[in-house]
Amino acid sequence: MRALLAGGAGYVGAHTAVALLEAGHEVVLLDDLSNASAAVAERIGRITGKDVSLVSGDATDEGAIAAVFDEHGPFDAIVHLAAFKAVGESTQKPLDYYDNNLNTTFALLRVGMARGIRSFLFSSTGTVYSDPADLPFTEESKTSVDLSNAYSKSKRMNEVVLEDVARVNPDLDVTVLRYFNPVGAHPSGLIGEDPKGVPNNLMPYVQRVAIGELDRVGVFGTDYDTPDGTGLRDYIHVVDLAEGHVAALEKGEPGYTVYNLGTGEPVSVLQLIASFEKAIGRELPKDLLERRAGDVTATYCDPSKAERELGWKAKLTIDDASRDAWKWQSQNPQGFAGV
Ligand code: UFG
């Protein structure tokens, strides 16, 4: 099949492009490059031995999307990964987050449906689940738009829109993938996560401490009700996550379907740091700090629906993710800026 990946030059997008190409599909990337680099296309080409078109453009702009269909279509599927995703920033700039994260969906759906796409795959988040009593979260667990930040709310709002659109377009496959915490990099070390500025997320922060760009890892909260007192998350290797997209697209069944993409294994902050220290063969300087505002104690999923229905299961471990993230970071100390 031929897929348009909106936000395809980003962290998850680039790995998804590789996985689709390696499974024999064709991809075109559309990205405004606000949080990604054009160098990604050449790197994807090097990994897969295939040419990749990257169009620089805004996925809120129906004209720009239509132009991609004119030049590179037809497409069987749209994979929508084009979103603002910084949780903290979203609390300061809610209008920007709602505007971008909803208008991309509206524009991609309008153009895609007019041009006859069969599948629309949407990147959502495990943070839409609202009741910790439901852990591990299944797709039936309670969700809410009453969440702590505009990023997560915008993702849940998108799901509501997509469910309604699917209802009146019964031939369309609308699939929502709720990601847990993506980490790691492609094992080639050629593509990986490259956040601008000081990273907010744990793994990229640890990576920057390991290359000496940041001084110390801060552990946010050691008094949680967990085995070692630090927060628990479901860290999924980005290559596994990318393969989840391939499995969902290949199933392509009409209707609205939601899948959790995670490992199902809760891992603590200290365990993740220890895994990274093992990968680099040395200890990292750490500070045990207060809890970070807005963090939950634990979030992890039950991924069994994806295994049952898609035949997909996460195979890689956090040690694999640490090894691969380190390979990417050490080979590309300035990320794509150094390419
Ligand atoms: N943490 C630290 N130190 C840091 C950064 C994080 O101790 O420097 C801790 C956090 O307190 C938390 C854990 O590491 O316990 C994971 O934090 P991240 O910031 O890496 O990830 P979050 O679980 O907060 O959220 C992330 C993304 C969201 C996404 C969510 C679930 O930021 O975009 O995963 O998909 F929605």
Side-chain angles (χ1 to χ4, degrees):
M1 90 179 62
R2 190 167 171 82
L4 172 63
L5 272 54
Y11 174 47
V12 177
H15 290 84
T16 300
V18 168
L20 283 166
L21 289 165
E22 287 181 339
H25 303 294
E26 295 167 12
V27 300
V28 172
L29 316 182
L30 170 66
D31 203 299
D32 68 0
L33 301 176
S34 60
N35 192 26
S37 160
V40 162
E42 187 272 332
R43 292 289 180 94
I44 294 170
R46 255 208 265 171
I47 294 169
T48 61
K50 295 182 183 167
D51 277 343
V52 186
S53 300
L54 166 61
V55 180
S56 169
D58 179 355
T60 64
D61 178 350
E62 287 183 36
I65 300 163
V68 180
F69 272 77
D70 288 341
E71 195 175 337
H72 299 278
F75 294 106
D76 305 294
I78 290 178
V79 184
H80 178 9
L81 310 120
F84 293 162
K85 62 168 188 177
V87 172
E89 183 185 64
S90 79
T91 63
Q92 301 304 313
K93 299 180 175 174
L95 185 55
D96 288 352
Y97 272 68
Y98 295 127
D99 184 351
N100 185 68
N101 291 3
L102 287 159
N103 280 312
T104 44
T105 303
F106 301 153
L108 289 164
L109 275 175
R110 281 195 193 283
V111 178
M113 290 196 298
R115 302 294 184 109
I117 56 161
R118 284 187 279 118
S119 291
F120 191 90
L121 202 61
F122 180 70
S123 308
S124 191
T125 166
T127 57
V128 298
Y129 295 116
S130 53
D131 186 352
D134 290 342
L135 280 168
F137 297 124
T138 72
E139 291 79 357
E140 308 307 316
S141 296
K142 280 184 278 306
T143 58
S144 175
V145 282
D146 187 17
L147 301 162
S148 67
N149 64 83
Y151 161 77
S152 299
K153 289 182 194 175
S154 76
K155 289 292 181 182
R156 180 61 198 142
M157 289 175 183
N158 267 287
E159 294 184 354
V160 172
V161 170
L162 289 167
E163 189 165 8
D164 276 356
V165 169
R167 190 169 38 78
V168 293
N169 292 277
D171 295 334
L172 191 64
D173 154 34
V174 177
T175 302
V176 165
L177 302 179
R178 291 182 180 149
Y179 307 164
F180 281 75
N181 288 50
V183 289
H186 192 268
S188 62
L190 288 170
I191 55 173
E193 190 169 11
D194 185 23
K196 293 211 164 97
V198 177
N200 293 306
N201 298 120
L202 178 61
M203 182 71 119
Y205 199 100
V206 170
Q207 292 167 218
R208 300 268 173 101
V209 173
I211 53 163
E213 195 184 298
L214 294 169
D215 290 339
R216 305 173 71 78
V217 181
V219 176
F220 296 149
T222 52
D223 59 348
Y224 285 105
D225 183 16
T226 61
D228 67 15
T230 67
L232 298 175
R233 297 290 182 274
D234 186 337
Y235 297 97
I236 175 167
H237 196 298
V238 68
V239 169
D240 276 332
L241 185 66
E243 281 166 7
H245 293 67
V246 179
L249 274 181
E250 287 180 347
K251 180 147 196 262
E253 212 162 80
Y256 175 80
T257 321
V258 179
Y259 293 107
N260 287 335
L261 295 184
T263 66
E265 296 289 332
V267 169
S268 76
V269 173
L270 290 176
Q271 283 175 312
L272 191 85
I273 297 170
S275 161
F276 203 86
E277 290 175 331
K278 197 162 75 179
I280 64 175
R282 63 192 153 90
E283 271 193 42
L284 292 170
K286 291 178 272 305
D287 293 318
L288 304 181
L289 302 174
E290 295 299 306
R291 295 181 181 196
R292 180 171 69 178
D295 276 351
V296 295
T297 301
T299 174
Y300 51 95
C301 74
D302 172 346
S304 59
K305 182 181 178 192
E307 183 173 10
R308 242 180 0 258
E309 297 187 8
L310 301 177
W312 171 90
K313 189 179 187 322
K315 296 192 276 286
L316 300 166
T317 64
I318 54 161
D319 287 349
D320 296 324
S322 296
R323 179 201 62 218
D324 296 336
W326 179 234
K327 187 164 183 192
W328 152 252
Q329 190 72 66
S330 55
Q331 287 180 8
N332 303 274
Q334 276 109 49
F336 290 110
V339 172

